[in-house]
Amino acid sequence: MKRFFRNAALANLFLCLCFVPSDAYAGKFLELSKDGYCLYVPTAAENAKKVPVLIALPGKGIEPSSDIQLWQTEAEKKSFFVIDFKVDYDSITDDSDIRRLHERISVELDALFRTYHFDRHEIYIAGTSAGAVISLALSLRFPNAYQTVGLVGGGVIHYPSQDYLINARNIQFFIVHGENDSSISIDKIYATKSELEKNGAQVLLKVMPYGEHSLSPLAYKVTVDWFSEVYESSLRRFARLVRNSLNL
């Protein structure tokens, strides 16, 4: 009987240690509806560490406040500042609309940079479904602004982006797609990968076995993990070292 109570006490202690409320270690979530975006500020940024920025574009009809929840757990672990934008995809019909969205993102980044501690030179963009399509379109038009791109459950080449494929050589892409996606077939994603690589892009494709169009949190985890690997690469580290030495 004593052994039973001793084992039970140890089990309870284990549960307490494992299930400490996550808020004790979490960063800060901010919903700025009037500005059309939500923020997740990781603990590292709150502690004055300069961190990379993840721009997230949700799927059609998905609010940023819901979409950002898919990113923030891993963003906290990997110390990414997240800006999740509300986008009216029905209003994006041509090249000029894509450019206006880029201008909007740039203006908001400049404004936020005056308040929050993040690295303006380390910008990563990721989108889900329709957001993935627009993320791809943005990166091809503005390769210097969006050099590292994550495409979750999307990534087909729309909005006459063929004319900009030559810019793909300056971009790294990570694509996560469901094997059984009935909205965007995996064949279309393989075709996108081929077109991007043909034009010099670096493309890593992860197919989720049996995955449908709406993917599990694992898709967002592996995307942030990949972003983190790029951020910690020797090339990025060297670039940051140079910028710091020049006070840029």
Side-chain angles (χ1 to χ4, degrees):
M1 182 65 70
K2 289 181 179 179
R3 179 179 298 176
F4 171 80
F5 283 114
R6 184 171 64 250
N7 290 342
L10 289 172
N12 287 334
L13 176 60
F14 176 78
L15 289 172
C16 289
L17 291 174
C18 288
F19 294 98
V20 173
S22 59
D23 288 346
Y25 302 96
K28 183 190 299 180
F29 167 77
L30 296 168
E31 185 172 5
L32 298 152
S33 300
K34 65 181 180 63
D35 296 314
Y37 58 78
C38 291
L39 300 179
Y40 183 75
V41 186
T43 303
E46 292 197 285
N47 293 334
K49 179 182 177 182
K50 190 178 286 189
V51 299
V53 180
L54 169 56
I55 297 167
L57 304 183
K60 186 175 180 179
I62 306 300
E63 291 295 320
S65 57
S66 297
D67 187 65
I68 203 168
Q69 294 178 32
L70 297 167
W71 298 105
Q72 66 184 40
T73 298
E74 298 307 318
E76 172 65 24
K77 292 177 183 177
K78 303 296 184 180
S79 297
F80 273 79
F81 186 101
V82 185
I83 311 171
D84 207 306
F85 283 91
K86 185 178 181 67
V87 182
D88 179 6
Y89 296 108
D90 289 332
S91 69
I92 301 178
T93 59
D94 58 29
D95 190 76
S96 62
D97 297 322
I98 299 290
R99 294 181 179 278
R100 273 192 290 272
L101 178 58
H102 168 67
E103 290 170 7
R104 174 191 167 199
I105 292 172
S106 299
V107 167
E108 296 296 352
L109 279 174
D110 290 340
L112 290 167
F113 184 63
R114 292 192 286 269
T115 303
Y116 296 99
H117 209 80
F118 59 76
D119 191 340
R120 189 66 174 82
H121 298 280
E122 292 284 0
I123 305 296
Y124 302 74
I125 188 169
T128 302
S129 189
V133 175
I134 298 302
S135 296
L136 176 54
L138 283 166
S139 68
L140 291 176
R141 286 161 178 77
F142 305 98
N144 292 328
Y146 312 108
Q147 296 181 350
T148 316
V149 185
L151 309 175
V152 181
V156 292
I157 302 173
H158 282 339
Y159 302 99
S161 292
Q162 286 83 358
D163 294 342
Y164 299 94
L165 278 168
I166 190 173
N167 294 329
R169 65 181 181 276
N170 299 315
I171 310 170
Q172 292 175 281
F173 293 95
F174 182 76
I175 306 175
V176 187
H177 206 79
E179 181 182 32
N180 296 334
D181 190 327
S182 58
S183 297
I184 303 173
S185 72
I186 191 66
D187 290 341
K188 290 182 179 179
I189 299 305
Y190 280 120
T192 293
K193 180 177 184 291
S194 177
E195 280 295 307
L196 291 172
E197 289 178 332
K198 191 186 304 181
N199 285 275
Q202 298 178 47
V203 185
L204 180 60
L205 170 61
K206 180 174 181 60
V207 178
M208 305 292 282
Y210 310 108
E212 301 289 344
H213 189 58
S214 294
L215 295 172
S216 72
L218 178 60
Y220 299 87
K221 178 186 185 305
V222 296
T223 304
V224 177
D225 284 347
W226 179 75
F227 281 145
S228 183
E229 289 176 10
V230 173
Y231 178 73
E232 294 295 345
S233 67
S234 57
L235 186 61
R236 291 292 179 100
R237 285 175 176 268
F238 178 73
R240 289 196 294 275
L241 183 64
V242 172
R243 288 198 300 270
N244 291 337
S245 67
L246 297 175
N247 294 316
L248 297 177

